[in-house]
Amino acid sequence: MSAAAATTTTTVSSATHLFADKTPPSSLKPLFKPQPKTTPFSLTHKNPSKICSKNSLSDVNSSFQSYPDDKVSIFDHKDSTLKPLTKTTSFAVTHKTPAKISSKNPLSDVISSFESYPDDKDSIFDADDDKPREECGVVGIYGDPEASRLCYLALHALQHRGQEGAGIVTATADGVLKSVTGVGLVSEVFNQSKLDQLPGDNAIGHVRYSTAGQSMLKNVQPFVAGYRFGRVGVAHNGNLVNYQTLRAELEENGSIFGTSSDTEVVLHLIAISKQRPFFLRIVEACEKLKGAYSMVFLTEDKLVAVRDPFGFRPLVMGRRSNGAIVFASETCALDLIEATYEREVNPGELLIVDKEGVRSICLMPHPEPKSCIFEHIYFSLPNSVVFGKSVYESRRQFGEILASESPVECDVVIAVPDSGVVAAIGYANKAGVPFQQGLIRSHYVGRTFIEPSQRIRDFGVKLKLSPVRAVLEGKRVVVVDDSIVRGTTSSKIVRLLKEAGAKEVHMRIASPPIIASCYYGVDTPSSEELISNRMSVEEIREFIGCDSLAFLQIDSLKKMLAGDSPNFCYACFSGNYPVLPSGMVKRVGDFVDDGLNGSIDSIDGGWLQGSKEGSKEEKEKDLDVNYEEEDGKVAV
């Protein structure tokens, strides 16, 4: 079956409207104020206490005690209708078993049991296999007659955040949620006829990263589910660190799960909530979640966006000239569909969009934001504004710092494309050395490729990267990359450059050494596989075969971020986690059900051991959970 053919189309009717349009008693004080028109973004999470009020669920719910169940408007303040704004410019797995040595990661007791692969088994994915991978990207659109087509284009702009699956859900005028999901790229899943099946002014969409396999289709988001008061669709970017505990509790109480995605836990929590109206169900559900989540929800007449209190994953809001509201993981999606970037969805904030306008509440009191620094190092596109900062400017400065702190005599500066390009430009400008394209990346390599019977050395890397001999021959070369994870790809790139005639190869890495796994929605290997967790810089240099090696120092990184430095998460560089995981944590989202090559026993890091700290009750809950045999999942 082709990727384009592996799609599902679902139509879901909503027999009961979630909300009736009645006015609440006039004696109640206004709970929400109209959303002010925002200006181009300045970093709003420097002082989180001023972002939104610290109203808890009980505070919000107390204002609704006299309301009949789901029979009132959720807001008692009539906001102005949406107004146009002036347009502005704005797994073929190749792991090797590491030696049992001391770990630099404080959470070092990662359960790791996997098959050692022979050295000559070269994966065709090597050019990407040595990078962390972002799990997914989300989009939400409210109030545009071409919502599904705009959502399609926005997902295309976010394709770098996930290439394995895509989906769109729309809400029609007569209270029906329609869904199309499929395996593959956005352009493979959707065509004109598929988009014609998605009418309506409101839509949410999702692109997903996972491993290959047709069985992953059931895990492609957005998910659509029904409960006693209607239907809801959800798209989620992030990872819940208490997923296992929550799922066990829900299953004990009778919930049945159809996927291995932690997003399904959110839907179950919403369904069992007894809060009224609908958005309070989301508030109550989010109070039970721990970890990273940027989510968009769609009902028959509302679009809801929510971000976790730490703000791990990005989520921005924009507005089109016709007044349509747009949410997306990155601003590059807004640019493509000509939506003006207004601001971020703040950490701990919930935004409700309906015919009354845009309204905001605070989910819960929240601590200092801890946004993922890797969004600026690797994940996001350079033309995006993420966490209030230009990604391009951040990467350029990373390169300049490397040139200042780790200079070396060289003739040319090149990048490992694509994510190393901007840092390499910054390095070259600061060093006064020409920047040239010494490596050309092929963007047309699929997930499978037939290798000739006579084995080609470094076959996977050569498929993706081609050296330019005219640039390299006889030269002292500085090659800039964004990160080193396992080190396997870096060693092959160095060998490739020297085979092309480079006299010297000096590696400069535009991030600190990665020593710890991520629990917040990024696919990283176990700590034992991370080369910086088990080798010194000099040992890594010898391993990859370059003439010199230098990383961006974490102190220099924080100095560059200045006042914003405390607002970022550096757990992958330090092992200090803002939210300690409990129990076993899924490392790569929902890969377990995704048709892996080989036995699950051969894959390292599918589940990571969380913190052993916590209350006695939490420990007992964790001990009661046994996932070793359920659905073929193994705590590896």
Side-chain angles (χ1 to χ4, degrees), residues 83-137:
K83 298 179 180 179
L85 293 181
T86 303
K87 182 179 173 183
T88 62
T89 32
S90 338
F91 221 109
V93 182
T94 58
H95 308 341
K96 302 180 179 67
T97 306
K100 296 292 182 181
I101 57 176
S102 60
S103 171
K104 298 177 185 177
N105 180 6
L107 291 180
S108 58
D109 34 347
V110 176
I111 300 178
S112 177
S113 175
F114 54 94
E115 179 182 340
S116 178
Y117 286 78
D119 290 344
D120 61 352
K121 296 293 184 183
D122 191 17
S123 167
I124 71 163
F125 311 115
D126 282 342
D128 289 326
D129 206 33
D130 202 21
K131 299 292 181 189
R133 303 198 201 194
E134 169 59 54
E135 286 301 324
C136 50

Side-chain angles (χ1 to χ4, degrees), residues 34 98 208 276 310 393 461 483 551 615 627:
R208 174 180 183 274
R276 305 286 189 276
F310 286 92
E393 285 302 306
V461 170
S483 60
F551 290 85
S615 66
Y627 270 85

Side-chain angles (χ1 to χ4, degrees), residues 274-294:
K274 308 216 181 281
Q275 299 298 322
R276 305 286 189 276
F278 173 74
F279 85 95
L280 289 180
R281 292 174 176 263
I282 299 177
V283 172
E284 185 178 58
C286 289
E287 286 184 335
K288 299 176 182 178
L289 305 180
K290 294 180 181 179
Y293 54 89
S294 288

Side-chain angles (χ1 to χ4, degrees), residues 155-329:
L155 291 177
H156 177 75
L158 297 176
Q159 189 74 85
H160 59 285
R161 300 183 76 89
Q163 299 86 45
E164 300 296 344
I168 295 175
V169 174
T170 59
T172 65
D174 54 352
V176 176
L177 297 187
K178 293 194 172 183
S179 170
V180 173
T181 60
V183 176
L185 302 176
V186 174
S187 60
E188 295 171 332
V189 174
F190 296 100
N191 52 34
Q192 186 67 45
S193 64
K194 290 283 173 53
L195 293 174
D196 288 342
Q197 299 172 34
L198 296 169
D201 294 351
N202 311 327
I204 59 174
H206 189 271
V207 288
R208 174 180 183 274
Y209 159 71
S210 185
T211 54
Q214 293 301 312
S215 64
M216 74 174 245
L217 180 58
K218 67 180 181 180
N219 286 321
V220 176
Q221 297 182 38
F223 292 154
V224 178
Y227 69 112
R228 61 181 298 198
F229 294 107
R231 299 281 174 174
V232 59
V234 60
H236 171 213
N237 177 23
N239 199 34
L240 304 180
V241 300
N242 63 336
Y243 161 78
Q244 186 192 36
T245 302
L246 289 175
R247 176 165 174 164
E249 292 174 353
L250 288 165
E251 289 179 326
E252 186 176 351
N253 291 321
S255 294
I256 298 174
F257 285 78
T259 76
S260 61
S261 172
D262 53 1
T263 310
E264 194 176 4
V265 165
V266 181
L267 289 173
H268 280 279
L269 291 174
I270 290 173
I272 66 173
S273 172
K274 308 216 181 281
Q275 299 298 322
R276 305 286 189 276
F278 173 74
F279 85 95
L280 289 180
R281 292 174 176 263
I282 299 177
V283 172
E284 185 178 58
C286 289
E287 286 184 335
K288 299 176 182 178
L289 305 180
K290 294 180 181 179
Y293 54 89
S294 288
M295 294 184 286
V296 287
F297 296 87
L298 183 68
T299 69
E300 62 188 39
D301 62 348
K302 286 178 173 59
L303 175 65
V304 179
V306 61
R307 194 164 168 221
D308 69 82
F310 286 92
F312 287 111
R313 309 253 65 84
L315 190 62
V316 298
M317 185 181 83
R319 195 185 304 251
R320 283 173 48 81
S321 59
N322 63 355
I325 299 297
V326 181
F327 296 101
S329 294

Side-chain angles (χ1 to χ4, degrees), residues 431-451:
V433 177
F435 167 77
Q436 296 190 46
Q437 274 191 289
L439 287 170
I440 306 299
R441 182 183 180 92
S442 170
H443 295 274
Y444 308 107
V445 178
R447 297 296 293 177
T448 59
F449 208 89
I450 300 172
E451 184 177 5

